[in-house]
Amino acid sequence: MRALFPFAQSYTPLNHGSYGSVPLTILSHRENLLRAYESRECIYKQFTLPPLLAAARARVAPLLGAATDEVVFVTNATTGVNAVLRNLVYDEGDVIVYPASIYPACLNTVRFLEETTGVRGVVVDVVYPVEDDELVERFRAVVEGVGREGGRVRVAVFDTIVSGPGVRVPWERLVGVCRELGVLSLVDGAHAIGHLDMRHAGEVKPDFLVTNCHKWLYAPRGCAVLYVPFANQHLITTCLPTSHGYKPPSVRKAIPTTAYFVNLFVDVSTADATPFICVPAALKFREDVCGGEEAILAYNHALAYEGGNRVSEMLGTEVLDNKSGSIRRCGFANVKLPLSVGGDSERGDVKSEDVGRVLLFIYRTAAREFDTYMQTFFYAGCFWTRFSAQIYLEMADFEWAARTLLGLCARVKKGEWRAMEAGAEEWMAVAEGSNYDERRAGVLEGR
C-alpha cells in the first residue's frame, strides 16, 4: 500500500492525522482536473464545475447518512465551525459550551465572539483518560448549571475525536443531551469521515457537523464537508467569507431555504474547488483498491490498538486509555514517553520551564536524523507521542518508531536539547500562543 502514496523513500509517515496524505492516483486525477480547468477557465468555472460539485456532494452524503442537499463543501473543519458559530445570532447572556479539549483555533473563534457579541464561553473541564459516562454527566451538569444561573446555552461545540490527545468522544450521547436540554449541537468531526463509521450521523442528527475529507478520506487538502439538516439551514445566511451566494433578507425570503443554503457554498471567492470534486475518485480508490470503508476502518483501528500496545511495551510505559477502552476505538494511539518532569537533573528530569525546548528537540531531531515526524506533546504532566494508524503502515513501523523514541528520550535525559540552536524561543512562543492550556502543549496540526 505504501507504494500507492507519494512518500519519499526514506520517510516514515507516522502522523497521518495532522494533514492526511493523498494517493498518487488522486494526485494525478487532480492534476487532470486542473489542466481541464485551465484549458477553458471561464467555461469550466461557469458550466463544468457546478454539476461536478453536485455529483461530489451526492457521493459523500451517504457516508454521513445525509441527503445530498444537507451537505456542502468548505475548505476545512475550522472554516465550517466558523461558518456555524458566526452565523448564529446571540443575545446578551447567551453561552457557548465547549470541552477543555476543544481545538485551539475553534476556541479562538469563541473568544472572538466573546469580544464582538454578547455571548460568553463556558468550559467543561475534562482531562483524559475519562469514562464516557463521567464526561456526559459533566457536560450535562455544566449546561444545566448555566440555566440555573439564568443564562441560555445557545450552542455546544464538541469533537468526534480529539486532536490532542487523540481520543474518541461519545459525541452521539452529547448530541442527545443537547437535544434533551434544548441546545444546538455543533460537532467538530475534523477526524471523523474516513476514520470512523459516520453513516449513522443522519440518525443521530446533530444540528451541525463538519468533517475533513483531506485527513482520513484521501482527498487533497482543503476539502471538508459541512452537514446541516434541512431543519437548521435557515440559520446559515452566509458562507465565510461572504461571497456571491449571499442575498439580503428582503431577497432571500423568496428563495427556498435549501436552494439558498446550497448555493451559498457553490462559488466562494476564487478558491480552488478541485479538492472537492476529487472526493468521488478518493471514494473509488477506497472501494476498488482498499476493499471499502469497513475494511479500511477495521485495519486502522486494529493497527492503532496493537501498535500502540507494542510501542508502550518497548518503551516500558503505557497507552492512554480508560477502563472501558472507549477512547481508543479509533485510529489513534497515545503512548507515554519514558521522560519525567521534575527537579532532579541528575536523574534526567525535565524542568517544567524546559518542556517546550524538549518538544522542539524531539521534533527537529526526528525530522533531521530519522526523516520522520513524531507528534509528541505534553499533556497532564507527561510527555506523549500520538501515533496514526493507516493502510500504508504495519507493525514494523511502530516498532521502528519505538526504537527511535527510546534513543531520543535517552538523548533528552543526557541534556542534548540544551545545545539546540537559536530559534527555539521563537518557536515556543508560537506553540504556547496557540494552546490555551498548559496541559496540552505541542499539538500543532492543520484542521
Side-chain angles (χ1 to χ4, degrees), residues 146-159:
V146 170
R148 285 194 298 271
E149 294 173 0
R152 179 185 72 152
V153 179
R154 180 71 169 123
V155 61
V157 186
F158 45 87
D159 298 280

Side-chain angles (χ1 to χ4, degrees), residues 45-46 53 239 243-245 262-271:
K45 174 76 170 178
Q46 295 298 323
L53 284 170
C239 59
S243 194
H244 301 293
V262 171
N263 190 59
L264 272 177
F265 296 88
V266 170
D267 186 8
V268 181
S269 63
T270 52

Side-chain angles (χ1 to χ4, degrees), residues 368-422:
R368 293 174 176 177
E369 298 183 17
F370 302 98
D371 202 9
T372 192
Y373 187 88
M374 298 290 188
Q375 181 64 301
T376 302
F377 58 100
F378 188 73
Y379 182 74
C382 301
F383 287 93
W384 305 82
T385 293
R386 187 195 73 185
F387 293 92
S388 300
Q390 196 45 255
I391 60 170
Y392 49 71
L393 295 174
E394 54 190 24
M395 183 62 73
D397 296 301
F398 281 76
E399 292 174 339
W400 175 87
R403 291 191 295 271
T404 303
L405 283 168
L406 277 172
L408 289 171
C409 290
R411 292 166 67 176
V412 167
K413 292 176 182 178
K414 292 178 181 177
E416 284 191 30
W417 56 270
R418 293 188 178 90
M420 196 160 42
E421 66 269 30

